[in-house]
Structures are given as structure tokens and as C-alpha cells.
Amino acid sequence: MNPIHISGYFVMRIFNITEQEYLPFYLYHLNYYLAFNPDGKEETFLAIVLEIVDKDRKSRETLYYYNTRSKTRIHKLSRFREVLKEVDKWGMTLTNEERLRQSVSYVQQIMNWQSANDTKSVLSKLLFDEVGSDKFFIEYKNIIEEKNRLEILLEKEQSTVKDLQDQLKNVAPEYRISILNGDQKLLIDLFMQLRDLKVPTTDNNFLSAKPELWAKLIHNYFTLSHTNSKEDNRQLLSYDTILDYFRDNLGKEMLKSKNRRKYFNIKESNRIYT
């Protein structure tokens, strides 16, 4: 078998067996490995298997996460990894989150010791557990570094959010005009009539703007209120809904003459301004 394709064949086999077969499948390959490698160790074999599984799962999470088949296969690989905990004597199947919980548990035990013997027992477990002191502290260091990286990223994102909020203040006012009867269609209809008003002398549109700008204008400056309640209890108008009206997906029916009795009606003036 071509060594390049071995890992692929291995994970494809996992996808085609039941969960009850996971452990026998692993043990079958382990026995084969030990039979042909007299100096081989299960710890080495398990590390290789986990590397293959994790690499395949990561690639699917990165490239094909929203694909239904990929979700199923990611779940199978995760379950296969969980089953391997039954044979893991070295802590290799632990996730970073599990290692962090374990380290916190150890530290809590140290902080809550009652006697010298307890202290000795806890420190012995921390330094000479099956996980191994080197692996334990390397993983702990990695967790701390990841935590620091995420905190820096969080600070940047919080700064970005603050900048966006400052920009929003320049667009949206602190207080909005309240529609006391709570009917947004009446307001939308008025603005659609304004949009369609003509200049008396030229018959050209008096106001001209894209649907998105009309929607932003209404969304930013008006709010629904069924009562004279406080500003913070009022309901914002949906930008997407307003936009649908101004794109004429919903607005055409509203402007038909048979529906004019439902809404306010703006009359065009014949007055000529000089």
C-alpha cells in the first residue's frame, strides 16, 4: 500500500464501521503493528493514530464544516477519539480544555492541603503522573499562551466594536421620532409618496436616493411605540423589512389607488415657486 494513502484509508474505514467496532478496529491494527515491530510500543502507535485522526478532522472543520457529510464524519472521528480514552494510559487523548481542568484540580488540591503528607501526595501526582511532567507542563504552557493570545484578540475586537459604536453615533441619533400608533406601514407609505413626488415644472422626481438610503433614514430616525413609554422600551423598525418596501417587493401593492384609504395621502402642489 502506498504510504501516502495509508492515513486516508484508515479514516475512511472509521466512517464505514459502527461505534461498537471502534475499539476492536483499533486493537486489530495495534496487534498487527506490535507483531511486525518487536521494539514498538502502544504509546507510539496511539500517538500516530491520534495524529491521523486529528489531522483529518481539522481539515474537514476548516474546509468543509458546513457540508452535511463532513459534519457526520467529524462526529465519527470525535467519537472514535473518545473511545480511545479506554486504552490511553498516557493522557494523549485529553483535550486542552480537559488538561486545563485537570491542572486546575491539581492546583486546588495543593491550595487546600491539610498536612505534609497531603502536600507530598499532590506534588507527586502533579510531577510524576502517567501524563508525565514534561508533557503536562508543555501542554499547560501552550494553554496559557493560547489564553494570552485570545485575550489580545478580544481586546482588539472590543476596540473594533467601540470604533463601530462611535461611528454609529454619527449616523443614528440618541433619540428617535416615535410613531405613537405603532404602525410602521403608515410611515413607510408616507416616505414612498415623498420618493415619488414630481417637480411641478419638469415632472422629474423631486427626491432621488437608493432604496438602501431610504431604509437607513427610517430605521435610524424612527421608532415604534404603542404607548407613550420610555425611549428604551420602544421597538426599532426592521431595516430589512423597510428595504423590501422600497425595492418594490412589498411597496407596489401599498401604492395602488384602491389602498389609499388605508394610509395618509400626500397631494402634489400645483403652486409654482418663483
Side-chain angles (χ1 to χ4, degrees), residues 1-17 25 29 48-49 51-57 59-60 73 77 80:
M1 185 177 292
N2 190 328
I4 296 177
H5 303 303
I6 288 177
S7 61
Y9 289 133
F10 187 84
V11 294
M12 288 302 293
R13 187 60 184 153
I14 294 174
F15 301 150
N16 289 282
I17 60 177
F25 173 73
H29 284 279
I48 295 172
V49 170
E51 181 181 359
I52 291 172
V53 169
D54 290 344
K55 182 178 180 181
D56 191 86
R57 185 175 64 172
S59 69
R60 293 177 190 279
R73 291 184 169 180
L77 292 175
F80 181 80

Side-chain angles (χ1 to χ4, degrees), residues 30-63:
L30 170 64
N31 292 331
Y32 183 92
Y33 166 79
L34 295 176
F36 287 89
N37 295 275
D39 298 327
K41 298 179 180 179
E42 183 178 359
E43 181 180 2
T44 303
F45 178 77
L46 178 59
I48 295 172
V49 170
L50 290 174
E51 181 181 359
I52 291 172
V53 169
D54 290 344
K55 182 178 180 181
D56 191 86
R57 185 175 64 172
K58 185 176 181 180
S59 69
R60 293 177 190 279
E61 288 175 344
T62 304
L63 300 176

Side-chain angles (χ1 to χ4, degrees), residues 169-186:
K169 288 179 181 178
N170 297 327
V171 178
E174 183 177 358
Y175 299 103
R176 291 174 168 82
I177 301 170
S178 177
I179 308 172
L180 294 181
N181 74 334
D183 190 347
Q184 64 177 347
K185 286 187 178 180
L186 285 170

